[in-house]
Amino acid sequence: MEDTEIIELYFNREEQAIKESENKYGNYCWSIAFGILDNKEDTEESLNDTWLKAWNSIPPVKPLNLRIFLGTIVRNTSMNIYKKYHAKKRYKSMNILLSEIEECISFENSIEKYFETKELSMAISEWLRNIEIEDRRIFLQRYWYAKSVKYIADCYGISANTMTQRLKRLREKLREYLESEEISI
């Protein structure tokens, strides 16, 4: 089913919209949530919350890209679940991921709050638009979709150590770019 048809189901308040969203984007959303949470039960909770939030958001919102819309909801929902359990130290993999990105973006407040600022978001988006497509994909797989270094390395047919070094160079380039843009790091 096409996205426009699914969105129309939401606007008509037909529950089939959720089923069609799950059929078309369920695996995609699962991948994002599980990459962040690394826990089946919490991933299922995140997905259920995602479908409910989509139902409550459409209408009045009419997404231009349903895949990105749902991906953003599931990522934010998963991050909220992560924060809820973070104090209990349940998510070792996300702690590692956040510590990696803090190498190029450090500040007094929490990294989650700083990422929400418009200036930083716009600068990172601009930087991503201007790097090689393969580097962009690698960076997004690691820091947006929370994929493991091994998973990304396997996708590109290289060793995890080589991918670790490549990610380190990307973080260094991002830090240099942010410094050149005079964004506090």
Side-chain angles (χ1 to χ4, degrees), residues 65-140:
N65 185 315
L66 186 59
R67 182 177 191 263
I68 292 172
F69 182 79
L70 294 172
T72 301
I73 292 173
V74 75
R75 185 176 191 282
N76 292 338
T77 301
S78 298
M79 289 298 291
N80 288 337
I81 291 170
Y82 166 78
K83 288 175 196 176
K84 182 168 78 174
Y85 295 119
H86 181 59
K88 297 178 184 179
K89 304 292 184 199
R90 260 176 84 174
Y91 296 109
K92 180 182 166 191
S93 63
M94 185 52 86
N95 291 335
I96 293 168
L97 183 65
L98 291 174
S99 70
E100 285 178 10
I101 199 71
E102 283 178 334
E103 290 176 10
C104 60
I105 305 171
S106 60
F107 42 86
E108 295 168 12
N109 297 324
S110 73
I111 190 149
E112 294 85 3
K113 288 181 184 175
Y114 200 74
F115 259 119
E116 293 172 359
T117 64
K118 187 173 184 176
E119 183 180 28
L120 181 61
S121 177
M122 289 171 46
I124 292 172
S125 293
E126 182 65 26
W127 176 75
L128 285 168
R129 279 191 290 276
N130 290 307
I131 64 175
E132 296 293 323
I133 291 173
E134 189 172 282
D135 286 341
R136 182 183 319 140
R137 288 180 179 148
I138 289 169
F139 189 87
L140 289 173

Side-chain angles (χ1 to χ4, degrees), residues 31-42:
S31 174
I32 294 170
F34 194 80
I36 293 169
L37 299 170
D38 197 27
N39 177 289
K40 182 182 177 196
E41 291 79 19
D42 293 338

Side-chain angles (χ1 to χ4, degrees), residues 7 14 16 24 28 39 49-51 56 67 96 98-99 107-108 115 127 129 131 162 174 183:
I7 292 168
E14 295 180 36
Q16 185 66 24
K24 189 166 184 180
Y28 168 72
N39 177 289
D49 290 351
T50 296
W51 307 133
N56 290 332
R67 182 177 191 263
I96 293 168
L98 291 174
S99 70
F107 42 86
E108 295 168 12
F115 259 119
W127 176 75
R129 279 191 290 276
I131 64 175
T162 302
L174 174 58
I183 294 176

